[in-house]
C-alpha cells in the first residue's frame, strides 16, 4: 500500500492514495475523503473554506479568523514586517508585540494579502493562442495572452489576477483574488518562543513552538469586514482526527522528468547549497559585529538557514537510489505506453528528449543566468530597487503583452507596493551582501569574463559595493517615486551610482534572460505541456497538480510515526516546552513564559503532527476539522517531509502545527491578549490571569 | 588515443599511456619515457633525483637546491610557518621575509622535512602476518605488524619510517626517510605576489604567481650539508621540453571501486563542500573584525578556500555522467574477467560487494565518526592538543603494536614536535572555530543526541567554547610538556577545562573509532587488497598506484591546451603580471614589484603549464629537465586537473609551475636576494640592480 502510494506520487498521474495530494479546489476528491474518513465536503463547505483562506503574497499562507478582518498566520511569516517595524530601541522581534487598542495596530510596510474569489479554466483560450507555435514564438504568444487575460480580469487595484500554470502546463487556470495592501500587525509573541529551538529544531518533531502571529486587513483605513472566516474549535486537534489544511504550497517537483530531476540533483541543489552555506557562515559572523547588526540580519539569517535545511533534505531525497529508481521506472512506464500507441507517440513521444536537450543547454548558460539576471551576483535590496526602476522606465511605455512578465498591468500594484515600501534598508548589511555576491559573481564567471570586467573594472567587490550603496539615495522612498514617475528621462539622466550600476548591467542581463526564455524555457514549457497531456491521456485527470503557490486543500489525520525504530507520538504538551529550556538561545524561553510557568496548564497540547501533504508556502495555513473550525496552525514539516518536493511518503511525512489550544492558553495566560481572544471566540468571556504583556 | 588514455586511468591497472602516472621510484617506466621522449632515466639518475627531492611532513613537496641544505618549496607551503613567525608588528606574510645573513634565518615552529633514503618491499611480511584473518583480527594484526616494522627501522629521531600502503593494499613498501626537524625560513616574497590573483585565480591558467619560498634544514644548530641537490638550469623550461616532477602527490582515488566513488560523489563531497563553504563564509567575515583578526586567520582561510575549490572540481568530475560511465564499464570488465575464471572468482569475486556493504554501513555512522572523532565537531588547536595529551597518557604505557596508530614509537618524534610547537595560538580565532564546529555537531547529530547533550549540557556552543578556550593553560608549551611528562596521573587530575572536555569526549570518540576500524575499515582494507591483487593478476603489475603522499616521479612536457575552443599557450611572461594589476587585492602587486617594474625584463617567463600528472601534495615539487636541473617549481594545477583525483585526461589536465627564470629574475631585481641566488647558481656572480628588500 505504501509502495503504491509512492509510485502514484512518482507518476504524478495515477489517482493518489491515502492522504497524498495538494488538491485544487475545482478538482477536490471529496468522494475519496468520504471513503476514507466518512466525511464528504460539499461544494458549499469548499467555498466557505476557500474564502476563509488567505495568501500572503510574499510567500506564506494564512486564514481569516474574525468578521473584523483578523488574519492568523505564523510568526515567521510576519517576521519581515515585525523586523521592519522595529528599531534598535523598540525590538518587537525580541520583545513581541501586542496592540492593546485598535489604534495601536501598526501597518506592515510591504505586506499584501490575497483572498481567492474565483477560479476560471483558461486552458482552451491559451492552447488556441499558442497552437502550432514553438520556441520564441510560443513563449511570446503565451506571455502576451496571459497578460491579456490578467488585464481583462484585474479591474481595479483591489483585484489581483494570476494565470496559474498547473500540471506543468497541462492546464491553465485564472485565479482571481481580492487584494489587501493595508495589513497591520496585531499580535506577535517573542521570537524566542515563536522559534523556540531555532535552527537545530527547525524541521524536527517533537516540537514546542508558538509560531503564531495575528494581523488585520484594512480597507480605506478601516478593518475590512469578512463574510467568511474560520471559527475556533472547542478543544483543537485530537489524535486520529480528520484534518484539512487549506493553504498555498509553494512548489513541488513531483511531475518533473528524469532529466529535470537529474539537473536538480547534480547541478542546482549542490551549487545552491554551497552558495547558501557560505552566505550562512557570513551572516552568522556578521551578527557578531554588534547587537544592532544582529537585529537587522536576523530575518535574513533565518531565511538562509531555513532554505539550507529544506534544500539539504530535498537533495538527500534525490540522492536516495531506491527512490530515484522508482521515478525512473515510472517515467519509463509512461513513455512505453506513449510509444505503444502510434497516435500518442506522434503527439508526445519526443517531449522527454526535448526537455533533456534543453536541460543540457541550460548547463551552459546557468552561471550567467543566475549571476547576471537572477540576482545571485547582485544581492542587495537597493540594487533590486534600482533595476526595477531602470526596467520600469523601459517596459511601462510598451504594450502590455510584450513587457517583461513582472511589469504587466496586472502585476503593477504589487510591484509598486514593493518598490515604494518604507521598510528600512540598512547600508551596512547591504554592503556585506553585495560584496559577497559580487565576489561570487567573479568566482563563478571568472575574473576574465567580459561582464565581470565591465562591472568591477579596477574595483574590488568591497570597493564597488561600498561606493554604490553609500552613494545611493534610493533608501529615500520619495526619491524612488520621483525616478519612477520621471520615466526613461529621469533614469537615463540619473547620477545615482546604484542606478548607474543597474543601467550598466541591464543590457547583458536582458540578453541572457532572452536567450534563456527564447531557447530553453520555451522548449521546456512547451514539452512539459506535452508530457502533462500524455499523462492525462494515459492515466486520466483525477490527479492533483504540482504545487505552484496557488490555493490547495489537503486532507489527513493527526498521526504519529516511527523513527529509528521508535514511535513518535503526534501531540506534544506545554510542559515539554519548559523541559527543553536551557537558558541559552535558541533553547531559552522568554521571561514572559518563565513568569507564567506556574499558571500555564502543563498538559495543554502544544504542537502536533498530521499526515497532511504540505510543503514550504503552506506556513501559516489553518488546520481545520470537518466543521471548518481551527484546530491548529501549520508552521513546519518534519525532516522526512522535505523529500515531499519529489514524492509523498505517508508513513513518515508529517505536517507540523501549533495546536489551537496552545494559542488560546498562551494568549490568555502569558500575554493577556484579551482583545484577540475575544475576536477568536466571540461571546466567550476570558478570565485574564496574567498581566498584559508589553 | 585520448579515450584510451582515460580508460587506462580508469582501470588503474593497464599500462598507462601518454604522460599519465604518478610512478613510484622502484617501478618507474624508464623504457616508456625513452620510447616517447628519447631519454631513458638510469638507476643513478633516479637515485640522484630521489635524494634531491624532499617532503614537508605537513603536506607539501620540496627540493634540495644547494649543498648547504637550502630547500625550495612554495610560499603556500611555508605560509603556516611565516604566519607563526609573524606578529601584529612584524607581518612577514604581508611584507615578505629575507634573511640577509645566515644568522637571520628563523626557525619554523613546527616544520619537518623528510628525504627519502630507502624503499623496501614489505608486502610478503605483512601478507604472511595477516593471512587467513578478517575483520578486527585482520586490522589489529596489520596495525601491529606495521608498527613493528616501523619501529625496527626507526633507529633514531633522525630517521622516519612509514609503511606505505600502495595499490589499495596490493603492495606495502617501507619508506625510510632522513628526518629534519630544525627548518629555518630563508626567503619568502610578499603574499600579494606569491598568491597574486588570490582565490579567483587559484587553479586557473594563465597565471602570474611567484609562489616560492626558501628554507634551510639544520642539524645540531648548523646547516645540514647535502650530497644530493638539484642544480639550476640555464634558461628554464621551454615549450615542448620534457619535464619530470618529483614530489609527493597526496591522494588520488583512481583505483576505488564504484561503490566507494558513489559514496564520495553522493555523500562525502556534498557534505564536506557545504560544511567548508559555511566555514569559508564565517572566516571571511571574521576577517572584518579587524586587521589583526585578518592576519591571524589568513592561512586558515586560504586552506579552506583552496580545499573548497579542489573538492568542487572533484565533485564535478564525478558528476560527469560520461566519465562515471567509463569507470563503471571498467569495473564491470574487470569483474567479468575475474568471474570468468573459477580460481579468480573464488579468491576475488566477492570483494566488490563486500566493499559496497561496508560503504552502506559507513553511511550510518558517518556523522558520529566525523563529528565525535575526526575533528569536525571540535575544530580547535587547543582541543587537538588536549586530546593528544589525554590519549598519550593512555596509549604510551601500552605495547607499541596495540596503540592507536598515531602513538606508535615511530610516530612519536613527529607527534611531539607538533604537540610542543611554540607556534602562537589565538584565543579569539579558537573560540570562533570551536563555536562553529560545536554548532555543527549539534546540527548534524541533533540537539537530542546523548553525546551532544553530554558535551553541551545547558551551555550554548559559544558559552562552552569561550569557557574552555579562555580557561585553558594549554597555550603554554611548558604546561603541555608537564602534562605530557606527568602521564595518566597528571591528566586525570587536571582541572584544565580543555583537558576536561577532551576527557569527556574521549570514551565516546574511541568507541565510534573502534566500531569503524573493526567493522568497516578492516573490511574495506582487506577487500581493497583483494581487488588490487585481482587487477595485478588480470592486467599485470606495470602500473602506478594511487597517490599516498609518498614520493613519485611523473614525466610530461611543457604544453598548451584548448579551452572553450581557444588555444591556451603554455608559458606566461612577467609583463602579464603587471597587466593584471588593478591595485585592489587580490590583484594588487606589492610595492616592491611596482617599484621594480622598469628594471624587470618584461619577457621573462613567469609561469608555465605542463602535462605532468600531479595532484595536491605535489605543491613545491621541483620541475626538472633530463639533466635533473630545476626548470620550474610546481605550485598548482589548472581547473581541469582537479578531476585528476579520479582519472587523468592528458588533453586538458595541466600542472602549473613558477618558471625558474621568474624566480631568478625576481630574487635579483625585486628583492636583491644575492645570498640565495649565489647558492642556487654558485660561481655565477649576480649584478644586483635593486635595493635589498625589507
Amino acid at each position: 500500500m505504501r509502495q503504491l502510494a509512492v509510485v502514484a506520487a512518482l507518476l504524478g498521474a495515477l489517482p493518489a492514495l491515502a492522504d497524498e495530494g495538494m488538491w485544487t479546489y475545482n478538482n477536490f476528491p471529496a468522494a475519496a475523503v468520504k471513503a476514507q474518513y466518512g466525511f464528504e465536503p460539499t461544494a458549499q463547505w469548499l467555498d466557505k473554506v476557500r474564502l476563509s483562506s488567505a495568501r500572503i503574497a510574499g510567500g506564506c499562507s494564512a486564514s481569516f479568523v474574525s468578521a473584523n478582518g483578523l488574519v492568523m498566520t505564523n510568526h515567521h511569516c510576519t517576521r519581515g514586517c515585525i523586523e521592519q517595524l522595529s528599531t534598535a530601541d523598540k525590538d518587537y522581534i525580541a520583545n513581541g508585540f501586542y496592540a492593546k487598542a485598535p489604534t495601536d495596530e501598526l501597518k506592515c510596510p510591504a505586506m499584501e494579502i490575497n483572498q481567492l474569489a474565483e477560479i476560471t479554466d483558461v486552458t482552451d483560450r491559451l492552447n488556441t493562442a499558442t497552437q502550432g507555435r514553438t520556441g520564441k514564438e510560443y513563449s511570446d504568444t503565451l506571455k502576451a495572452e496571459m497578460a491579456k487575460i490578467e488585464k481583462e480580469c484585474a479591474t481595479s487595484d483591489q483585484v489581483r489576477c494570476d494565470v496559474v500554470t498547473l500540471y506543468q502546463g497541462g492546464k491553465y487556470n485564472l485565479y482571481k483574488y481580492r487584494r489587501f495592501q493595508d495589513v497591520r500587525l496585531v499580535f506577535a509573541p517573542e521570537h524566542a518562543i515563536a522559534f523556540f529551538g531555532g535552527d537545530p529544531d527547525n524541521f524536527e518533531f517533537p516540537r514546542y513552538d508558538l509560531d503564531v502571529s495575528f494581523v488585520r486587513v484594512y480597507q480605506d483605513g478601516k478593518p475590512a469586514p469578512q463574510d467568511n472566516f474560520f471559527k475556533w474549535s472547542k478543544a483543537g486537534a485530537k489524535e486520529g482526527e480528520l484534518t484539512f489544511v487549506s493553504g498555498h504550497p509553494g512548489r513541488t517537483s513531483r511531475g518533473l522528468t528524469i532529466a529535470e530531476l537529474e539537473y536538480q540533483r547534480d547541478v542546482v541543489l549542490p551549487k545552491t547549497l554551497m552558495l547558501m552555506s557560505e552566505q550562512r557562515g557570513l551572516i552568522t559572523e556578521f551578527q557578531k559585529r554588534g547587537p544592532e547588526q544582529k537585529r537587522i540580519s536576523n530575518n535574513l539569517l533565518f531565511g538562509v538557514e531555513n532554505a539550507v535545511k529544506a534544500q539539504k533534505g530535498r537533495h538527500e531525497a534525490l540522492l536516495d537510489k531506491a527512490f530515484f529508481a522508482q521515478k525512473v521506472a515510472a517515467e519509463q512506464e509512461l513513455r512505453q505506453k506513449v510509444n505503444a500507441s502510434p497516435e500518442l507517440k506522434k503527439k508526445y513521444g519526443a517531449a522527454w528528449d526535448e526537455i533533456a536537450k534543453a536541460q543540457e543547454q541550460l548547463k551552459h548558460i546557468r552561471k550567467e543566468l543566475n549571476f547576471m539576471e537572477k540576482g545571485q551576483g547582485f544581492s542587495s535590496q537597493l540594487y533590486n530597487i534600482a533595476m526595477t526602476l531602470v526596467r520600469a522606465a523601459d517596459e511601462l511605455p510598451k504594450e502590455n503583452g510584450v513587457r517583461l512578465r513582472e511589469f504587466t498591468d496586472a502585476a503593477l500594484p504589487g510591484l509598486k507596493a514593493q518598490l515604494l515600501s518604507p521598510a528600512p534598508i540598512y547600508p551596512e548589511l547591504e554592503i556585506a551582501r553585495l560584496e559577497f555576491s559580487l565576489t561570487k559573481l567573479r568566482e563563478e564567471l571568472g575574473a576574465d569574463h567580459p561582464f565581470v570586467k565591465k562591472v568591477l573594472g579596477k574595483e574590488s567587490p568591497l570597493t564597488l559595493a561600498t561606493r554604490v550603496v553609500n552613494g545611493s539615495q534610493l533608501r529615500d522612498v520619495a526619491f524612488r517615486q520621483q525616478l519612477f514617475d520621471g520615466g526613461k528621462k529621469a533614469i537615463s539622466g540619473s547620477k545615482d551610482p546604484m542606478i548607474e550600476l543597474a543601467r550598466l548591467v541591464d543590457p547583458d542581463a536582458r540578453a541572457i534572460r532572452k536567450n534563456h526564455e527564447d531557447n530553453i524555457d520555451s522548449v521546456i514549457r512547451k514539452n512539459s505541456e506535452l508530457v502533462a497531456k500524455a499523462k492525462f491521456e494515459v492515466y486520466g485527470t483525477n490527479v492533483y497538480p504540482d504545487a505552484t503557490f496557488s490555493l490547495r486543500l489537503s486532507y489527513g489525520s493527526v498521526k504519529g510515526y516511527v523513527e529509528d525504530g521508535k514511535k513518535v507520538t503526534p501531540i506534544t504538551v506545554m510542559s515539554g516546552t519548559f523541559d527543553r529550556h536551557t537558558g541559552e538561545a535558541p533553547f531559552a524561553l522568554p521571561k514572559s513564559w518563565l513568569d507564567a510557568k506556574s499558571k500555564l496548564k502543563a498538559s495543554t497540547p502544544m504542537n502536533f503532527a498530521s499526515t497532511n501533504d504540505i510543503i514550504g508556502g503552506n506556513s501559516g495555513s489553518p488546520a481545520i476539522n470537518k466543521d471548518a473550525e481551527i484546530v491548529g496552525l501549520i508552521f513546519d514539516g518534519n525532516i522526512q517531509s522535505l523529500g515531499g518536493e519529489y514524492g509523498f511518503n505517508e508513513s513518515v511525512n508529517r505536517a507540523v502545527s501549533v495546536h489551537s489550544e496552545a494559542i488560546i492558553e498562551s494568549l490568555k495566560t502569558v500575554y493577556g491578549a484579551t482583545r484577540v481572544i475575544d475576536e477568536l471566540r466571540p461571546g466567550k468571556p476570558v478570565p485574564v490571569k496574567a498581566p498584559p504583556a508589553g
Side-chain angles (χ1 to χ4, degrees), chain A residues 225-473:
Chain A
Q226 300 296 321
D227 295 333
N228 295 288
F229 59 89
F230 292 114
K231 296 212 167 65
W232 209 263
S233 73
K234 201 168 165 197
K238 298 262 184 271
E239 182 161 1
E241 184 176 6
L242 167 63
T243 47
F244 295 89
V245 171
S246 177
H248 298 79
R251 191 197 68 180
T252 53
S253 306
R254 298 178 189 175
L256 294 192
T257 64
I258 294 303
E260 289 169 295
L261 292 175
E262 283 179 345
Y263 184 72
Q264 290 294 316
R265 183 192 65 191
D266 298 341
V267 182
V268 176
L269 286 166
K271 298 296 173 204
T272 313
L273 280 166
M274 273 184 73
L275 186 71
M276 287 193 314
S277 294
E278 189 174 348
Q279 204 184 358
R280 179 185 182 187
L282 196 93
I283 306 165
T284 303
E285 176 64 24
F286 177 89
Q287 297 214 318
K288 304 257 163 121
R289 289 192 190 181
E292 178 61 358
Q293 287 91 340
K294 184 169 191 316
R295 189 186 70 76
I296 63 173
S297 61
N298 267 333
N299 198 40
L300 179 64
L301 181 59
F302 164 74
V304 172
E305 291 194 331
N306 191 59
V308 164
K309 211 159 181 180
Q311 299 207 22
K312 202 171 122 186
R314 281 183 218 153
H315 196 213
E316 282 167 8
L318 288 182
L319 286 171
D320 183 309
K321 283 171 98 171
F323 177 75
F324 205 82
Q326 284 180 310
K327 295 290 258 188
V328 171
E331 180 168 301
Q332 281 170 347
E333 183 192 298
L334 174 61
R335 292 185 73 172
Q336 274 158 16
K337 285 184 199 288
V338 165
N339 287 333
S341 146
E343 189 209 346
L344 293 181
K345 186 176 179 184
K346 184 157 178 271
K347 281 198 284 184
Y348 308 123
W352 289 266
D353 292 341
E354 289 298 314
I355 291 173
K357 269 189 267 171
Q359 293 294 140
E360 275 308 307
Q361 274 186 277
L362 185 51
K363 279 186 194 164
H364 296 115
I365 66 155
R366 173 185 71 79
K367 286 182 182 178
E368 289 177 331
L369 183 67
N370 288 340
F371 283 89
M372 290 159 66
E373 168 66 10
K374 291 201 165 177
Q376 289 188 2
F378 303 91
S379 173
S380 144
Q381 288 179 269
L382 290 173
Y383 174 85
N384 292 341
I385 288 168
M387 189 53 98
T388 302
L389 287 168
V390 165
R391 289 191 168 171
D394 278 324
E395 293 298 310
L396 295 186
K398 293 182 190 168
E399 279 294 313
N400 185 41
V402 301
R403 293 180 203 158
L404 296 174
R405 187 101 179 96
E406 64 271 28
F407 291 97
T408 59
D409 286 330
L412 276 186
L415 184 120
K416 279 164 76 174
Q418 288 293 324
L419 182 67
L420 304 173
S421 155
I425 295 172
Y426 303 101
E428 188 177 356
L429 184 58
E430 285 282 293
I431 291 170
R433 293 177 61 194
L434 187 54
E435 184 200 2
F436 172 71
S437 53
L438 289 168
T439 304
K440 296 298 110 179
L441 169 78
R442 181 176 68 188
E443 177 177 326
E444 291 294 327
L445 303 191
D448 295 321
H449 190 290
F451 179 76
V452 175
K453 285 179 153 173
K454 178 174 160 180
V455 168
L456 285 177
K458 297 267 180 192
E459 289 180 304
S460 71
L462 177 60
T463 309
L464 175 58
T466 307
R467 178 174 63 78
V468 296
V469 169
N470 285 344
S472 176
Q473 293 177 63

Side-chain angles (χ1 to χ4, degrees), chain A residues 624-638:
Chain A
I624 56 174
N625 60 22
K626 64 184 167 54
D627 299 322
E629 296 166 337
I630 298 284
V631 298
L633 167 65
I634 292 287
F635 73 100
D636 207 356
N638 65 356

Side-chain angles (χ1 to χ4, degrees), chain A residues 101-120:
Chain A
T103 47
D104 295 336
E105 298 179 359
L106 293 181
K107 186 172 188 309
C108 288
M111 188 176 285
E112 174 179 316
I113 284 186
N114 306 138
Q115 179 185 34
L116 181 56
E118 199 180 323
I119 304 175
T120 316

Side-chain angles (χ1 to χ4, degrees), chain A residues 438-607:
Chain A
L438 289 168
T439 304
K440 296 298 110 179
L441 169 78
R442 181 176 68 188
E443 177 177 326
E444 291 294 327
L445 303 191
D448 295 321
H449 190 290
F451 179 76
V452 175
K453 285 179 153 173
K454 178 174 160 180
V455 168
L456 285 177
K458 297 267 180 192
E459 289 180 304
S460 71
L462 177 60
T463 309
L464 175 58
T466 307
R467 178 174 63 78
V468 296
V469 169
N470 285 344
S472 176
Q473 293 177 63
L474 289 170
R475 286 171 67 205
D476 176 1
V477 177
F479 180 71
R480 291 179 218 159
Q481 180 83 58
Q482 272 173 34
L483 283 174
F484 185 76
D485 295 341
K488 186 73 185 169
K489 203 176 151 206
I491 292 296
S492 312
S494 174
K495 299 269 186 236
D496 188 280
M498 195 61 91
I499 294 283
E500 287 178 328
L501 176 63
R503 280 204 315 255
L504 183 74
V505 169
D506 187 42
D508 300 270
R510 276 180 183 263
I512 193 76
R513 173 170 172 168
K514 191 170 154 45
N515 180 1
H516 176 246
E517 285 182 355
D518 293 352
N519 305 314
I520 296 174
D521 189 54
S522 64
V523 176
I524 294 173
R525 277 177 169 272
K526 173 80 190 172
N527 287 284
S528 298
E529 209 181 286
L530 295 177
V531 168
K533 286 177 176 162
K535 284 183 192 165
F536 289 151
E537 291 208 34
V538 172
Y539 298 114
T541 56
N542 191 14
V543 292
Y544 64 93
D546 260 321
T548 53
F549 197 43
S550 53
L551 189 63
R552 305 297 177 88
L553 186 62
S554 86
Y555 62 95
S557 66
V558 179
K559 197 173 175 182
Y561 55 104
V562 174
E563 186 172 54
D564 297 334
K566 276 175 285 188
K567 199 173 157 19
V568 180
T569 53
I571 305 182
T572 64
V573 293
M574 233 168 223
S575 59
T577 316
F578 290 95
D579 294 343
R580 210 162 174 69
H581 169 73
T582 66
E584 292 252 28
F587 297 99
L589 287 170
K591 186 170 177 300
S592 64
W593 275 67
L594 297 172
D595 290 349
K597 185 175 177 184
S598 61
K599 285 167 260 160
L600 283 164
K601 203 176 142 201
S603 62
T604 308
M606 188 75 192
N607 292 170

